[in-house]
Amino acid sequence: MSGARSKLALFLCGCYVVALGAHTGEESVAEHHEAEYYVAAVYEHPSILSPNPLALISRQEALELMNQNLDIYEQQVMTAAQKGVQIIVFPEDGIHGFNFTRTSIYPFLDFMPSPQVVGWNPCLEPRRFNDTEVLQRLSCMAIKGDMFLVANLGTKQPCHSSDPGCPNDGRYQFNTNVVFSNKGTLVDRYRKHNLYFEAAFDVPLNVDHITFDTPFAGRFGIFTCFDILFFDPAVRLLRDHKVKHVVYPTAWMNQLPLLAAIEIQKAFAVAFGINVLAANVHHPVLGMTGSGIHTPLESFWYHDMENPEGHLIIAQVAKNPVGLIGAGNATGETDPSHTKFLKILSGDPYCEKDAQEVHCDEATKWNMNAPPTFHSEMMYDNFTLVPVWGKEGYLHVCSNGLCCYLLYKRPTLSEELYALGVFDGLHTVHGTYYIQVCALVRCGGLGFGTCGQEITEATGIFEFHLWGNFSTSYIFPLFLTSGMTLEVPDQLGWEKDHYFLRKSGLSSGLVTAALYGRLYERD
């Protein structure tokens, strides 16, 4: 499905989504306010893959396959050009594919000179370097579409035996993003640092922290896929280089309930108050879908596990994104649920229990019988959870140093089990990194052991505050409702050394609401 979040009062930008050239609205995207917005596109690409990525083939055979994908890229560029697009992003692995060995990928690699050392326009200077056919085509596309173009390809760089890091075969092989200007000039390149089981590629000896400037929106940053979960380069790039926009090629396999592609893309935009232009490959059979143009307060996304076709998203994007964190909510202080939340945090006795009965303010009757604590695997981690029963309540659950809290109210009960879970520890499957997580999730069934299973549909409606005593300032709000719909919190922020997320008025049943903290220094 594709989706577009309805406008919030604080967000003034109008956006449009184009899917395979079909508008969802009547107005032309080209009629944008040049002073405040730019027009961006991302393409989710159903890449044509090598039938046998382990086989050794010729450069010519590799070019024949890659040109099939580049033909599709060019079609999308021309469609985007008709809509006034100024920058387009294509996915990771979209041109050459994946599952290669170091040797079998070699015919697919272009030679990559350093843009910091060599000024080069591949389209206008095609014979300057050998084995640059893919770069030439991308450069010519950027000229033809009159737009900045971001794409991902495999590259090679010869090295000498005197280089202590030089591989035995005498060359470095990198997973590389390239940026071309609308004139076809190679503006810069980024070599992926956090590889995800990519034996065909090398990790650069030094981390690339790459930014590039545009005449229409200022400075952009760039990184790739798995990089989004680590401090370098992603967080350092935003911290040190005043980046407001990120281009993000990815080949992401969805994993619910906490790490679906659109879920982490949106969380990153909200957490840092930036725009994220994310392009994923489209292979539903491999669980790979989910692209979007995300601002802190609005998203235009595509996630479809059934349709085999590619999908082009075009949106008008604010040059200066309005952040959610710190914006607060004008009704916060007068809202009864927020008043209760603040009382709990301040240590005021919200409910007093004597020998005979429980006395609660505002005549609210609370069940003081603590629900049972249980354990269940979520995202390969052993979470500690408590069931969320009843139409309203106040729960907490702790693990190691992290305690998570939930204050909630439900208009009606559904035939579903929800649970509040906590994890504070080192994640060690499909990557090693330290996380602190508070998560309200819909379970896969009615048994405790189903909590943490991957589900996409739900009917349970909540009004809630979710918070925890996190040990990190890097906290990503993950928020999905039924049908892989992205939600925006009403409020996020710190209150008395606790980080909280507040939401009422869900558009559909809650699938996941989580605060995903990263402690990079403990990796």
Side-chain angles (χ1 to χ4, degrees):
M1 66 166 289
S2 59
R5 182 78 177 99
S6 59
K7 282 191 272 191
L8 299 179
L10 288 173
F11 194 71
L12 305 177
C13 168
C15 296
Y16 307 85
V17 177
V18 176
L20 300 176
H23 278 286
T24 59
E26 297 297 323
E27 301 171 74
S28 169
V29 177
E31 298 172 2
H32 59 280
H33 305 294
E34 293 184 4
E36 299 177 18
Y37 308 108
Y38 65 98
V39 183
V42 302
Y43 180 60
E44 179 156 314
H45 178 49
S47 49
I48 299 167
L49 302 174
S50 170
N52 184 4
L54 303 182
L56 302 180
I57 64 173
S58 68
R59 171 69 172 174
Q60 188 57 41
E61 290 171 308
L63 284 172
E64 288 174 2
L65 183 142
M66 291 191 289
N67 276 320
Q68 293 180 65
N69 286 308
L70 289 165
D71 289 344
I72 298 171
Y73 278 25
E74 188 163 346
Q75 294 167 9
Q76 301 307 317
V77 166
M78 298 319 298
T79 298
Q82 295 172 3
K83 309 299 179 183
V85 165
Q86 293 160 288
I87 184 168
I88 189 167
V89 183
F90 291 101
E92 180 187 25
D93 298 336
I95 297 172
H96 56 273
F98 34 74
N99 294 332
F100 295 95
T101 66
R102 181 175 182 85
T103 303
S104 69
I105 201 173
Y106 183 71
F108 293 84
L109 305 180
D110 267 33
F111 170 71
M112 169 60 70
S114 171
Q116 285 82 27
V117 177
V118 177
W120 181 40
N121 188 311
C123 188
L124 303 184
E125 305 172 89
R127 294 180 180 85
R128 188 169 177 184
F129 302 103
N130 292 327
D131 292 339
T132 57
E133 293 89 342
V134 174
L135 292 170
Q136 291 169 31
R137 282 208 65 181
L138 293 171
S139 171
C140 292
M141 280 183 219
I143 295 173
K144 193 172 181 180
D146 190 24
M147 66 185 68
F148 273 63
L149 184 150
V150 179
N152 174 272
L153 72 159
T155 64
K156 59 186 177 184
Q157 178 184 324
C159 55
H160 195 270
S161 58
S162 61
D163 177 354
C166 184
N168 293 333
D169 52 17
R171 63 180 181 268
Y172 291 108
Q173 300 183 174
F174 297 119
N175 178 331
T176 305
N177 297 336
V178 289
V179 181
F180 291 96
S181 76
N182 61 319
K183 303 300 182 183
T185 301
L186 179 61
V187 175
D188 219 326
R189 59 97 174 93
Y190 165 73
R191 299 166 301 177
K192 187 177 181 182
H193 183 70
N194 298 285
L195 298 177
Y196 188 80
F197 303 102
E198 298 169 67
F201 293 120
D202 299 304
V203 175
L205 298 181
N206 298 305
V207 183
D208 289 342
H209 297 101
I210 302 300
T211 64
F212 61 94
D213 293 320
T214 67
F216 50 84
R219 181 163 295 172
F220 283 72
I222 184 169
F223 48 85
T224 310
C225 201
F226 202 39
D227 287 329
I228 203 169
L229 293 181
F230 297 91
F231 186 81
D232 269 320
V235 177
R236 191 185 302 275
L237 191 71
L238 299 178
R239 189 191 70 178
D240 296 349
H241 296 278
K242 298 180 180 179
V243 169
K244 296 180 180 179
H245 318 273
V246 165
V247 289
Y248 178 61
T250 185
W252 192 279
M253 291 178 285
N254 290 290
Q255 189 174 11
L256 291 163
L258 301 180
L259 287 180
I262 58 172
E263 189 179 21
I264 190 64
Q265 294 162 14
K266 177 64 175 182
F268 200 85
V270 173
F272 288 104
I274 61 169
N275 298 323
V276 175
L277 315 182
N280 199 1
V281 288
H282 188 74
H283 293 288
V285 70
L286 301 176
M288 303 172 92
T289 181
S291 304
I293 296 175
H294 307 276
T295 77
L297 297 181
E298 198 161 25
S299 282
F300 296 83
W301 73 90
Y302 179 71
H303 176 104
D304 196 322
M305 289 292 289
E306 298 176 2
N307 190 336
E309 301 296 324
H311 194 104
L312 181 68
I313 304 172
I314 298 176
Q316 218 172 285
V317 186
K319 294 180 181 179
N320 293 296
V322 178
L324 175 66
I325 296 175
N329 187 308
T331 63
E333 295 301 322
T334 58
D335 178 68
S337 67
H338 198 62
T339 300
K340 294 173 187 176
F341 162 69
L342 293 174
K343 280 186 176 181
I344 292 169
L345 274 186
S346 67
D348 289 350
Y350 182 62
C351 291
E352 298 177 353
K353 185 175 182 181
D354 59 27
Q356 284 76 38
E357 58 184 336
V358 176
H359 303 283
C360 297
D361 65 352
E362 301 175 19
T364 303
K365 300 300 180 185
W366 291 79
N367 177 11
M368 296 301 292
N369 295 320
T373 299
F374 63 96
H375 292 85
S376 188
E377 186 178 279
M378 188 188 306
M379 309 290 294
Y380 302 104
D381 295 318
N382 186 26
F383 272 69
T384 303
L385 304 103
V386 291
V388 179
W389 290 334
K391 293 184 68 173
E392 57 183 317
Y394 165 49
L395 300 170
H396 78 277
V397 62
C398 301
S399 176
N400 293 333
L402 178 64
C403 287
C404 302
Y405 304 85
L406 177 69
L407 178 66
Y408 70 96
K409 185 179 292 185
R410 305 180 63 182
T412 58
L413 291 177
S414 59
E415 293 294 322
E416 298 161 308
L417 174 63
Y418 283 84
L420 172 66
V422 59
F423 181 79
D424 180 0
L426 192 66
H427 174 88
T428 58
V429 178
H430 300 158
T432 301
Y433 45 92
Y434 200 102
I435 56 176
Q436 288 185 327
V437 183
C438 293
L440 171 60
V441 296
R442 203 215 108 175
C443 304
L446 298 180
F448 288 170
T450 68
C451 296
Q453 292 181 356
E454 298 195 23
I455 60 105
T456 59
E457 303 297 329
T459 61
I461 302 297
F462 285 79
E463 173 187 305
F464 66 94
H465 286 71
L466 173 68
W467 70 99
N469 62 329
F470 289 87
S471 305
T472 176
S473 60
Y474 298 109
I475 302 167
F476 301 90
L478 308 173
F479 209 163
L480 281 177
T481 57
S482 193
M484 295 300 293
T485 302
L486 291 170
E487 287 279 350
V488 179
D490 293 338
Q491 194 173 1
L492 280 171
W494 290 95
E495 190 73 50
K496 297 187 183 299
D497 298 324
H498 290 71
Y499 194 83
F500 75 95
L501 180 159
R502 170 186 173 215
K503 182 65 178 180
S504 60
L506 291 178
S507 63
S508 58
L510 180 68
V511 172
T512 301
L515 297 171
Y516 193 90
R518 280 287 284 113
L519 282 76
Y520 302 108
E521 68 279 8
R522 297 191 191 177
D523 289 352

